[in-house]
Amino acid sequence: MTPSISFKNVNLDKDAVGGPISSRKWTDLDAECDRSRLGMQRAEYAGPVSTDLQARPVLNLRLYDSAARGVVPLAPTVAEGTVAVYLCGATVQGSPHIGHMRSGIAFDVLRRWLERCGQKVLLIRNVTDIDDKILDNSAAAEPPVPWWAWAQRHEREFDAAYRALGVAPPTYEPRATGHIPEMIDLVGRLLDAGHAYIGQAGNVYFDVRSLSDYGSLTNQRVEDLATTEDESQIDDDLEADKRDPRDFALWKTVKPTEPADAAWDAPWGRGRPGWHLECSAMSRRYLGETFDIHGGGIDLRFPHHENEQAQSHGAGWGFARHWVHNAWVTIKGEKMSKSLGNSLTVAELLKTYDPAVLRLALGTIHHRSTVEFSDETLAEAAALWERLSGAVLRAREVVDDPGRADASDAAAVAVDASAEEVRARALPAEYAAAMDDDLGLAGAMAVVHATLKRLNTALAAPSPERSAVVDAALDLRSQLDVLGLDPLAEPWRSRVLGGSGVGSDSAMDALDHLVAALLDQRAEARAARDWTRADALRDELTAAGVVVEDSPAGARWHLA
């Protein structure tokens, strides 16, 4: 007999629990302290890109909405001048591979564009730190690791990967384990509304047939479905007490084989939340009952996002007005995933490739197009990054050359203008039109290439005209900034300047000192026409991973 329990007096909703930060449970306060320490490091590399630019009278952006199955206007937003976005973040079951970074970069570009349009962006990206795979992987480790330690270790790896690739931190990055009260409240609401039921074993399930619009996100009929669970979440214990195999788990009863601390007390029994529950609860906590955009990878549309929407609609919430999904990263035509054994971890790739090259390869392809990840793709991205960063660096050297008669002019240092000045520059109409059309990166990149050509033409003149160089260089930086690829902004600046620029750390300062000494020796050898020694010094630097480039202003260097 299923027990009858009423939750009408359970007072754990948003207003009762309090504001988004101040009344979090201790598990999440610990996370926030951890996040604050990481946040101070992150700000140096990829801080939020919002500015004080005046908002456009009208938000012109149109996005492909997966639910509407067409490109639709984003405006009007729930709150004028603000765009509220919930992005499904990492399930920290293992090390991040490059496929995991696709959504982070794609929505970082969306955020940057919205902020360049004068909008305030409230971005929530969750961390799933309790999950079947986390429990399984931590137990299978040699030696076994506590599930929470396993989750935190890989959460930090994801954080490092985002920072390395220049992804700005979200407004808040809540953990699932810090929001158990909100999830219990949501389950209670669904039980009271008749959209959920308690199984004999203490599991709680969502009754998909109770909701008339179930399947509306993915255009599917309930009767055509075999299950609404993710394959990784299905087990015999979970399926045994369902009324209908198409119902999905809201709460999973505690198992004797799982760690005792991987469960929480609830009115219907001790256990842990189902996979989908956290996103409905946390989006409401931080963004309210209705918000503008829900995003994530295309593989999350079903069942995860369909079930999120069902939970929230069942609770009486409007939930997401628009759904934006990014496509996969593939290798030889197959989706990159751990289960296929073809994943490339970010940490391993960064040992070989410049992080800017990885970002360019992933972040300059339209978010709804598949990225085929290969050596050829990376080689093309590396060549383009070299042309872009090299042109900006040459412009900086030409304009900042202390030997120029007009070097004291204020415009002489304008190529190295601040981020605020760069973002204040007007973008070409063609660029803005492309970005407003579903973040049309192909059109935006066409403008970038045209601007790069204009800058190279200005630099190739026998006596480069300073104003032409400055204008072209700043235009190029401004356009690349929207893509998170401004060569003179962190995290790329130190590498592009070879450690000699503002913001380089002590290790780069030391490296710059050592490399400069070798370059001085090489210059002396070249002056003495001792080509053998000059080449040997260059080869020594190359072997150490230092690329030397000769220019009219002298030799410059950067890390390979």
Side-chain angles (χ1 to χ4, degrees), residues 93-127:
Q93 57 171 302
S95 299
H97 61 64
I98 199 66
H100 289 133
M101 298 294 105
R102 182 79 196 277
S103 65
I105 292 174
F107 282 84
D108 188 57
V109 172
L110 170 61
R111 175 189 189 169
R112 288 169 178 271
W113 180 241
L114 287 169
E115 291 181 336
R116 284 293 287 271
C117 294
Q119 301 294 302
K120 176 183 178 182
V121 179
L122 183 58
L123 174 63
I124 309 302
R125 187 181 67 207
N126 71 303
V127 176

Short mmCIF file of all heavy atoms in Angstrom, two decimals, residues 93-127:
data_model
loop_
_atom_site.label_atom_id
_atom_site.label_comp_id
_atom_site.label_asym_id
_atom_site.label_seq_id
_atom_site.Cartn_x
_atom_site.Cartn_y
_atom_site.Cartn_z
N GLN A 93 32.00 13.30 -13.04
CA GLN A 93 32.28 11.87 -12.88
C GLN A 93 33.70 11.52 -13.29
O GLN A 93 34.21 10.44 -12.94
CB GLN A 93 31.31 11.07 -13.74
CG GLN A 93 31.38 11.47 -15.22
CD GLN A 93 30.60 10.55 -16.12
OE1 GLN A 93 30.85 9.36 -16.16
NE2 GLN A 93 29.65 11.12 -16.83
N GLY A 94 34.36 12.39 -14.06
CA GLY A 94 35.70 12.11 -14.55
C GLY A 94 36.32 13.38 -15.11
O GLY A 94 35.74 14.47 -15.06
N SER A 95 37.50 13.23 -15.69
CA SER A 95 38.22 14.39 -16.23
C SER A 95 37.52 14.96 -17.45
O SER A 95 36.94 14.22 -18.25
CB SER A 95 39.65 13.98 -16.61
OG SER A 95 40.36 13.51 -15.47
N PRO A 96 37.55 16.27 -17.62
CA PRO A 96 36.87 16.89 -18.77
C PRO A 96 37.59 16.60 -20.08
O PRO A 96 38.81 16.72 -20.18
CB PRO A 96 36.92 18.38 -18.44
CG PRO A 96 38.11 18.54 -17.55
CD PRO A 96 38.18 17.28 -16.75
N HIS A 97 36.82 16.20 -21.09
CA HIS A 97 37.39 16.08 -22.43
C HIS A 97 36.94 17.28 -23.26
O HIS A 97 36.10 18.08 -22.83
CB HIS A 97 37.03 14.74 -23.07
CG HIS A 97 35.56 14.48 -23.27
ND1 HIS A 97 34.76 15.23 -24.10
CD2 HIS A 97 34.74 13.52 -22.74
CE1 HIS A 97 33.53 14.75 -24.10
NE2 HIS A 97 33.48 13.72 -23.27
N ILE A 98 37.51 17.38 -24.44
CA ILE A 98 37.30 18.60 -25.23
C ILE A 98 35.84 18.75 -25.64
O ILE A 98 35.34 19.86 -25.82
CB ILE A 98 38.24 18.60 -26.46
CG1 ILE A 98 38.39 20.02 -27.03
CG2 ILE A 98 37.78 17.62 -27.51
CD1 ILE A 98 39.10 20.97 -26.08
N GLY A 99 35.11 17.63 -25.73
CA GLY A 99 33.69 17.72 -26.04
C GLY A 99 32.89 18.42 -24.97
O GLY A 99 31.91 19.11 -25.25
N HIS A 100 33.32 18.26 -23.70
CA HIS A 100 32.64 18.94 -22.60
C HIS A 100 32.75 20.45 -22.71
O HIS A 100 31.90 21.19 -22.19
CB HIS A 100 33.25 18.50 -21.26
CG HIS A 100 32.94 17.10 -20.87
ND1 HIS A 100 33.90 16.23 -20.41
CD2 HIS A 100 31.77 16.41 -20.86
CE1 HIS A 100 33.34 15.06 -20.13
NE2 HIS A 100 32.06 15.14 -20.41
N MET A 101 33.81 20.93 -23.35
CA MET A 101 34.06 22.37 -23.40
C MET A 101 33.21 23.08 -24.44
O MET A 101 33.11 24.31 -24.44
CB MET A 101 35.55 22.64 -23.70
CG MET A 101 36.51 22.11 -22.63
SD MET A 101 36.33 22.97 -21.04
CE MET A 101 35.46 21.71 -20.09
N ARG A 102 32.57 22.32 -25.33
CA ARG A 102 31.83 22.95 -26.43
C ARG A 102 30.73 23.87 -25.91
O ARG A 102 30.60 25.02 -26.37
CB ARG A 102 31.22 21.87 -27.34
CG ARG A 102 30.45 22.45 -28.56
CD ARG A 102 31.42 22.86 -29.64
NE ARG A 102 30.83 23.74 -30.64
CZ ARG A 102 30.12 23.35 -31.70
NH1 ARG A 102 29.88 22.06 -31.89
NH2 ARG A 102 29.68 24.23 -32.56
N SER A 103 29.92 23.38 -24.98
CA SER A 103 28.82 24.22 -24.50
C SER A 103 29.33 25.42 -23.72
O SER A 103 28.80 26.53 -23.85
CB SER A 103 27.85 23.40 -23.64
OG SER A 103 28.47 22.94 -22.46
N GLY A 104 30.38 25.22 -22.91
CA GLY A 104 30.94 26.33 -22.15
C GLY A 104 31.40 27.46 -23.05
O GLY A 104 31.13 28.65 -22.79
N ILE A 105 32.09 27.11 -24.13
CA ILE A 105 32.59 28.13 -25.07
C ILE A 105 31.45 28.74 -25.86
O ILE A 105 31.38 29.97 -26.05
CB ILE A 105 33.65 27.51 -25.99
CG1 ILE A 105 34.90 27.14 -25.19
CG2 ILE A 105 34.00 28.46 -27.13
CD1 ILE A 105 35.95 26.39 -25.99
N ALA A 106 30.52 27.91 -26.34
CA ALA A 106 29.41 28.43 -27.14
C ALA A 106 28.58 29.44 -26.35
O ALA A 106 28.21 30.51 -26.87
CB ALA A 106 28.52 27.27 -27.61
N PHE A 107 28.31 29.13 -25.09
CA PHE A 107 27.49 30.05 -24.30
C PHE A 107 28.31 31.22 -23.75
O PHE A 107 27.75 32.26 -23.40
CB PHE A 107 26.76 29.29 -23.20
CG PHE A 107 25.56 28.55 -23.72
CD1 PHE A 107 25.69 27.29 -24.28
CD2 PHE A 107 24.31 29.14 -23.70
CE1 PHE A 107 24.60 26.62 -24.82
CE2 PHE A 107 23.21 28.49 -24.22
CZ PHE A 107 23.35 27.22 -24.79
N ASP A 108 29.62 31.07 -23.72
CA ASP A 108 30.48 32.21 -23.40
C ASP A 108 30.41 33.24 -24.52
O ASP A 108 30.36 34.45 -24.26
CB ASP A 108 31.92 31.74 -23.19
CG ASP A 108 32.83 32.84 -22.66
OD1 ASP A 108 32.52 33.39 -21.59
OD2 ASP A 108 33.84 33.14 -23.32
N VAL A 109 30.39 32.77 -25.77
CA VAL A 109 30.24 33.69 -26.91
C VAL A 109 28.87 34.36 -26.87
O VAL A 109 28.75 35.58 -27.09
CB VAL A 109 30.45 32.93 -28.24
CG1 VAL A 109 30.11 33.82 -29.43
CG2 VAL A 109 31.90 32.44 -28.36
N LEU A 110 27.82 33.59 -26.58
CA LEU A 110 26.48 34.18 -26.46
C LEU A 110 26.47 35.26 -25.38
O LEU A 110 25.94 36.36 -25.60
CB LEU A 110 25.46 33.09 -26.12
CG LEU A 110 24.05 33.58 -25.73
CD1 LEU A 110 23.40 34.36 -26.87
CD2 LEU A 110 23.18 32.40 -25.30
N ARG A 111 27.06 34.95 -24.25
CA ARG A 111 27.09 35.92 -23.15
C ARG A 111 27.84 37.17 -23.56
O ARG A 111 27.39 38.30 -23.31
CB ARG A 111 27.75 35.27 -21.94
CG ARG A 111 27.95 36.20 -20.76
CD ARG A 111 28.80 35.50 -19.73
NE ARG A 111 28.87 36.23 -18.48
CZ ARG A 111 29.37 35.74 -17.36
NH1 ARG A 111 29.84 34.52 -17.34
NH2 ARG A 111 29.42 36.46 -16.27
N ARG A 112 28.99 37.02 -24.18
CA ARG A 112 29.79 38.16 -24.60
C ARG A 112 29.02 39.04 -25.60
O ARG A 112 29.09 40.27 -25.54
CB ARG A 112 31.12 37.70 -25.21
CG ARG A 112 32.10 37.14 -24.18
CD ARG A 112 33.28 36.46 -24.85
NE ARG A 112 34.25 35.99 -23.88
CZ ARG A 112 35.27 36.68 -23.41
NH1 ARG A 112 35.47 37.92 -23.84
NH2 ARG A 112 36.10 36.18 -22.52
N TRP A 113 28.30 38.39 -26.52
CA TRP A 113 27.55 39.17 -27.49
C TRP A 113 26.41 39.93 -26.81
O TRP A 113 26.17 41.10 -27.10
CB TRP A 113 27.02 38.29 -28.61
CG TRP A 113 26.24 39.08 -29.62
CD1 TRP A 113 24.93 38.92 -29.95
CD2 TRP A 113 26.72 40.18 -30.40
NE1 TRP A 113 24.55 39.85 -30.89
CE2 TRP A 113 25.64 40.65 -31.19
CE3 TRP A 113 27.95 40.82 -30.51
CZ2 TRP A 113 25.76 41.72 -32.08
CZ3 TRP A 113 28.07 41.90 -31.39
CH2 TRP A 113 26.99 42.33 -32.15
N LEU A 114 25.71 39.27 -25.91
CA LEU A 114 24.62 39.94 -25.21
C LEU A 114 25.14 41.14 -24.42
O LEU A 114 24.51 42.21 -24.39
CB LEU A 114 23.92 38.96 -24.27
CG LEU A 114 23.04 37.91 -24.94
CD1 LEU A 114 22.64 36.84 -23.94
CD2 LEU A 114 21.79 38.56 -25.55
N GLU A 115 26.28 40.98 -23.79
CA GLU A 115 26.84 42.08 -23.01
C GLU A 115 27.35 43.21 -23.91
O GLU A 115 27.26 44.38 -23.54
CB GLU A 115 27.92 41.56 -22.08
CG GLU A 115 27.33 40.68 -20.98
CD GLU A 115 28.35 40.15 -20.00
OE1 GLU A 115 29.54 40.04 -20.35
OE2 GLU A 115 27.95 39.81 -18.87
N ARG A 116 27.87 42.87 -25.08
CA ARG A 116 28.25 43.92 -26.03
C ARG A 116 27.01 44.66 -26.54
O ARG A 116 27.11 45.81 -26.98
CB ARG A 116 29.02 43.32 -27.21
CG ARG A 116 30.45 42.95 -26.87
CD ARG A 116 31.31 44.16 -26.58
NE ARG A 116 31.64 44.93 -27.75
CZ ARG A 116 32.69 44.72 -28.53
NH1 ARG A 116 33.52 43.73 -28.24
NH2 ARG A 116 32.92 45.47 -29.58
N CYS A 117 25.86 44.00 -26.49
CA CYS A 117 24.60 44.65 -26.88
C CYS A 117 23.99 45.43 -25.73
O CYS A 117 22.84 45.90 -25.83
CB CYS A 117 23.60 43.59 -27.37
SG CYS A 117 24.10 42.77 -28.90
N GLY A 118 24.71 45.56 -24.61
CA GLY A 118 24.24 46.36 -23.51
C GLY A 118 23.36 45.63 -22.53
O GLY A 118 22.75 46.26 -21.66
N GLN A 119 23.26 44.31 -22.64
CA GLN A 119 22.41 43.54 -21.74
C GLN A 119 23.20 43.07 -20.51
O GLN A 119 24.39 42.77 -20.59
CB GLN A 119 21.86 42.31 -22.47
CG GLN A 119 21.03 42.63 -23.70
CD GLN A 119 19.75 43.35 -23.35
OE1 GLN A 119 18.94 42.87 -22.59
NE2 GLN A 119 19.57 44.53 -23.94
N LYS A 120 22.51 43.00 -19.39
CA LYS A 120 23.07 42.35 -18.21
C LYS A 120 22.74 40.87 -18.33
O LYS A 120 21.59 40.50 -18.59
CB LYS A 120 22.47 42.92 -16.94
CG LYS A 120 22.94 42.21 -15.68
CD LYS A 120 22.26 42.78 -14.44
CE LYS A 120 22.70 42.02 -13.18
NZ LYS A 120 22.01 42.56 -11.98
N VAL A 121 23.73 40.01 -18.15
CA VAL A 121 23.51 38.57 -18.29
C VAL A 121 23.65 37.90 -16.93
O VAL A 121 24.66 38.06 -16.25
CB VAL A 121 24.51 37.95 -19.29
CG1 VAL A 121 24.28 36.44 -19.40
CG2 VAL A 121 24.37 38.61 -20.66
N LEU A 122 22.62 37.18 -16.55
CA LEU A 122 22.63 36.38 -15.33
C LEU A 122 22.75 34.93 -15.78
O LEU A 122 21.80 34.34 -16.30
CB LEU A 122 21.35 36.61 -14.54
CG LEU A 122 21.22 35.91 -13.19
CD1 LEU A 122 22.35 36.31 -12.25
CD2 LEU A 122 19.88 36.24 -12.55
N LEU A 123 23.94 34.36 -15.62
CA LEU A 123 24.23 33.02 -16.13
C LEU A 123 24.44 32.05 -14.97
O LEU A 123 25.33 32.26 -14.13
CB LEU A 123 25.48 33.05 -17.02
CG LEU A 123 26.00 31.69 -17.51
CD1 LEU A 123 24.96 31.01 -18.40
CD2 LEU A 123 27.31 31.86 -18.27
N ILE A 124 23.65 31.00 -14.94
CA ILE A 124 23.79 29.94 -13.93
C ILE A 124 24.27 28.69 -14.65
O ILE A 124 23.66 28.24 -15.62
CB ILE A 124 22.44 29.66 -13.23
CG1 ILE A 124 21.82 30.95 -12.70
CG2 ILE A 124 22.64 28.63 -12.12
CD1 ILE A 124 22.68 31.72 -11.74
N ARG A 125 25.36 28.13 -14.18
CA ARG A 125 25.87 26.86 -14.72
C ARG A 125 26.06 25.90 -13.55
O ARG A 125 26.90 26.12 -12.68
CB ARG A 125 27.20 27.08 -15.45
CG ARG A 125 27.71 25.84 -16.18
CD ARG A 125 29.04 26.11 -16.87
NE ARG A 125 30.11 26.35 -15.92
CZ ARG A 125 31.18 27.09 -16.16
NH1 ARG A 125 31.32 27.70 -17.32
NH2 ARG A 125 32.12 27.25 -15.24
N ASN A 126 25.27 24.85 -13.50
CA ASN A 126 25.28 23.95 -12.35
C ASN A 126 26.42 22.96 -12.38
O ASN A 126 27.07 22.74 -13.42
CB ASN A 126 23.95 23.19 -12.26
CG ASN A 126 23.84 22.15 -13.36
OD1 ASN A 126 23.92 22.48 -14.55
ND2 ASN A 126 23.64 20.89 -12.99
N VAL A 127 26.67 22.34 -11.25
CA VAL A 127 27.61 21.23 -11.12
C VAL A 127 26.85 20.06 -10.52
O VAL A 127 26.33 20.15 -9.41
CB VAL A 127 28.81 21.58 -10.22
CG1 VAL A 127 29.71 20.37 -10.04
CG2 VAL A 127 29.60 22.74 -10.81
#
